[in-house]
Amino acid sequence: GQQLNQSPQSMFIQEGEDVSMNCTSSSIFNTWLWYKQDPGEGPVLLIALYKAGELTSNGRLTAQFGITRKDSFLNISASIPSDVGIYFCAGLNYGGSQGNLIFGKGTKLSVKP
Amino acid sequence: EADIYQTPRYLVIGTGKKITLECSQTMGHDKMYWYQQDPGMELHLIHYSYGVNSTEKGDLSSESTVSRIRTEHFPLTLESARPSHTSQYLCASARDRGVGEQFFGPGTRLTVL
């Protein structure tokens, strides 16, 4: 079945640093979504991407839909302690998986104050 | 902001008990989902529904069952809970199949002793 490879699996960075994570797949996706999950809570949608090449920002977050439609990245600029959490990418292929999202395994972000 | 609710937030029960996890959304979304997630790990789709009287099993086999009698309500039931069912259960809903954006509830943390 379709799979998303999300990397890195975890990151431990200094406050103020920029962060970059990405998702790749051998399959084409029509939509890419990025979620953040705080401990004990449900994932919250950060950014949604609908077109190949699209670059979208949400505050300090920037995400891009890869031109090949097989990858996406998320950047966080000037990280702060509240950025701690697990970030999940998710892809949607209209023709596959019966229209359900495919999730990556997550990138766990830890920030030193 | 998405309006999707799950109760209870935390549940500790003994082996063999029957439990129902509640999920409700007030957005009129047709699509609803249940995911199972161990702490800090990936999300596994266990059930989904595309509308009233429609339920399907997800990618991860689960002994739980679901029902969809009303658009806004998608409860999950375990007839006889076991320690292997200990996990976090996340409910989500989506507005439209093609767009793909899923909105998550806060989750139910289930512990079976």
Side-chain angles (χ1 to χ4, degrees):
Chain A
Q2 296 176 307
Q3 285 189 328
L4 292 183
N5 301 308
Q6 187 171 351
S7 65
Q9 188 173 1
S10 63
M11 300 182 73
F12 194 70
I13 63 170
Q14 197 76 27
E15 183 178 356
E17 288 182 350
D18 296 342
V19 172
S20 184
M21 61 190 78
N22 67 83
C23 272
T24 61
S25 175
S26 58
S27 303
I28 290 174
F29 288 95
N30 302 106
T31 299
W32 284 95
L33 306 174
W34 285 92
Y35 289 86
K36 183 197 177 199
Q37 185 177 26
D38 292 327
E41 299 293 331
V44 174
L45 182 64
L46 298 174
I47 292 179
L49 302 159
Y50 305 109
K51 290 172 58 176
E54 180 181 358
L55 184 71
T56 297
S57 294
N58 178 6
R60 293 179 296 106
L61 278 61
T62 302
Q64 184 157 29
F65 193 143
I67 198 71
T68 65
R69 295 165 61 194
K70 294 182 179 181
D71 62 341
S72 177
F73 72 75
L74 175 71
N75 287 343
I76 305 172
S77 62
S79 57
I80 59 178
S82 62
D83 290 334
V84 163
I86 302 178
Y87 292 79
F88 290 98
C89 64
L92 174 68
N93 181 327
Y94 300 152
S97 303
Q98 300 171 315
N100 295 332
L101 287 177
I102 306 298
F103 282 88
K105 294 188 177 183
T107 294
K108 184 176 182 179
L109 183 62
S110 302
V111 179
K112 279 190 208 177
Chain B
E1 188 168 325
D3 294 320
I4 180 164
Y5 309 98
Q6 291 186 244
T7 57
R9 289 294 313 275
Y10 304 94
L11 180 60
V12 181
I13 59 167
T15 296
K17 299 292 186 184
K18 177 180 178 179
I19 61 165
T20 296
L21 307 184
E22 302 288 348
C23 176
S24 295
Q25 50 94 7
T26 59
M27 298 168 284
H29 289 174
D30 286 328
K31 296 169 66 183
M32 297 189 74
Y33 306 83
W34 277 103
Y35 293 87
Q36 184 174 341
Q37 182 189 34
D38 291 329
M41 302 298 286
E42 62 194 291
L43 287 78
H44 295 285
L45 180 66
I46 53 175
H47 297 283
Y48 61 97
S49 167
Y50 284 162
V52 171
N53 295 324
S54 152
T55 61
E56 301 287 346
K57 290 189 178 294
D59 304 321
L60 181 68
S61 176
S62 174
E63 295 168 342
S64 58
T65 59
V66 292
S67 62
R68 191 86 183 277
I69 299 173
R70 304 196 317 265
T71 297
E72 63 271 21
H73 195 214
F74 191 40
L76 180 146
T77 299
L78 275 167
E79 290 292 331
S80 179
R82 296 205 301 268
S84 61
H85 296 138
T86 294
S87 189
Q88 169 147 291
Y89 292 84
L90 292 162
C91 181
S93 71
R95 168 173 55 88
D96 176 81
R97 176 174 180 163
V99 174
E101 296 174 11
Q102 291 184 18
F103 298 95
F104 284 83
T108 294
R109 180 81 185 132
L110 173 65
T111 302
V112 184
L113 303 176

